[in-house]
């Protein structure tokens, strides 16, 4: 069962919205669009009885049922739904830290663990310069072959970023990784952050 926390204020707010729909048995469905990608978004939608999917997990929140989209479950671990009142009425907040990449443990396959570190730690930092890095493959059982994109491609500081940032972080978080190799064509410099 995915661990999704729905705070009491969020339950009350969603229950009020459901009541206004005037549909017996109405619930709420939580799902992730484009799960596991940098474009992933976590969404809530009304779920009337005729739209219940048999494979979805059901969580009884007393005032209504929360339906967890089966394909989204790995990406909903540690998701958090909250509602806070403000001057404009209120704000419903959905946080799903694993929507872009599912949480992995030390027993996950090596490429999954490398991708998790890239998505959760390294790419958010590179995004400040419009860059990103992706795993191409693992060779010799311990060398991560990477490709840089966006502002990192052709950037004059990429070797520093690779050695002092990416390689250090990957080796620290994934001890089986002994080295990284860059296969990016850095002759393309039109989007480079530093030229």
């Amino acid at each position: 069962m995915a661990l999704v926390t729905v705070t009491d204020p969020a339950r009350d707010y969603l229950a009020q919205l459901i009541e206004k729909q005037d549909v017996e048995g109405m619930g709420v469905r939580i799902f992730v669009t484009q799960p596991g990608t940098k474009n992933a978004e976590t969404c809530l939608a009304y779920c009337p009885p005729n739209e219940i999917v048999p494979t979805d997990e059901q969580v009884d929140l007393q005032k209504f049922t929360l339906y967890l989209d089966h394909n989204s479950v790995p990406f909903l671990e540690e998701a958090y739904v909250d509602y806070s009142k403000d001057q404009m009425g209120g704000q419903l907040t959905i946080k799903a830290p694993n929507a872009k990449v599912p949480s992995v443990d030390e027993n996950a396959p090596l490429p999954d663990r490398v991708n998790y570190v890239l998505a959760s730690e390294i790419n958010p930092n590179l995004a400040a310069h419009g860059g990103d890095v992706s795993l191409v493959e693992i060779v010799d059982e311990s060398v991560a072959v990477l490709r840089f994109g966006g502002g990192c491609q052709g950037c004059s500081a990429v070797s520093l970023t690779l050695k002092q940032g990416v390689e250090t972080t990957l080796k620290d978080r994934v001890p089986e990784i002994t080295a990284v190799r860059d296969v990016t064509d850095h002759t393309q410099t039109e989007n480079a952050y530093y030229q």
Side-chain angles (χ1 to χ4, degrees):
M1 171 85 54
L3 178 60
V4 177
T5 301
V6 181
T7 65
D8 288 339
R11 287 180 196 196
D12 293 343
Y13 176 71
L14 292 169
Q16 288 173 4
L17 293 177
I18 290 168
E19 190 175 309
K20 291 177 183 175
Q21 298 305 304
D22 199 28
V23 174
E24 184 68 31
M26 178 76 81
V28 173
R29 191 162 197 258
I30 187 169
F31 57 96
V32 179
T33 61
Q34 301 183 47
T37 71
K38 64 182 180 180
N39 299 319
E41 291 198 27
T42 307
C43 307
L44 291 174
Y46 292 118
C47 186
N50 63 332
E51 292 181 13
I52 295 171
V53 179
T55 57
D56 286 353
E57 292 187 18
Q58 298 183 21
V59 180
D60 182 4
L61 296 180
Q62 296 166 341
K63 298 180 179 189
F64 62 90
T65 301
L66 179 68
Y67 298 94
L68 308 178
D69 172 64
H70 175 73
N71 294 329
S72 299
V73 167
F75 303 93
L76 291 170
E77 286 293 331
E78 301 175 22
Y80 182 82
V81 181
D82 189 24
Y83 179 78
S84 56
K85 291 184 179 182
D86 61 24
Q87 294 173 341
M88 303 300 270
Q91 169 117 10
L92 186 66
T93 305
I94 308 168
K95 294 182 182 177
N98 298 305
K100 295 184 187 320
V101 62
S103 183
V104 296
D105 63 22
E106 65 275 358
N107 298 319
L110 186 57
D112 290 354
R113 289 184 285 140
V114 169
N115 280 323
Y116 181 76
V117 173
L118 291 176
S120 64
E121 294 184 45
I122 295 171
N123 279 332
N125 292 326
L126 295 178
H129 294 170
D132 63 78
V133 63
S134 59
L135 177 67
V136 175
E137 64 180 333
I138 304 285
V139 296
D140 301 328
E141 298 181 10
S142 65
V143 178
V145 179
L146 306 174
R147 178 170 287 117
F148 286 87
C152 292
Q153 184 175 8
C155 179
S156 62
V158 77
S159 61
L160 185 66
T161 300
L162 179 68
K163 289 295 178 192
Q164 292 185 2
V166 177
E167 183 172 39
T168 301
T169 302
L170 277 176
K171 288 166 73 174
D172 181 56
R173 303 291 190 278
V174 187
E176 295 92 330
I177 295 298
T178 59
V180 297
R181 188 177 308 148
D182 180 10
V183 296
T184 309
D185 175 6
H186 288 290
T187 62
Q188 302 294 320
T189 61
E190 63 264 7
N191 293 321
Y193 189 75
Y194 293 113
Q195 298 212 8

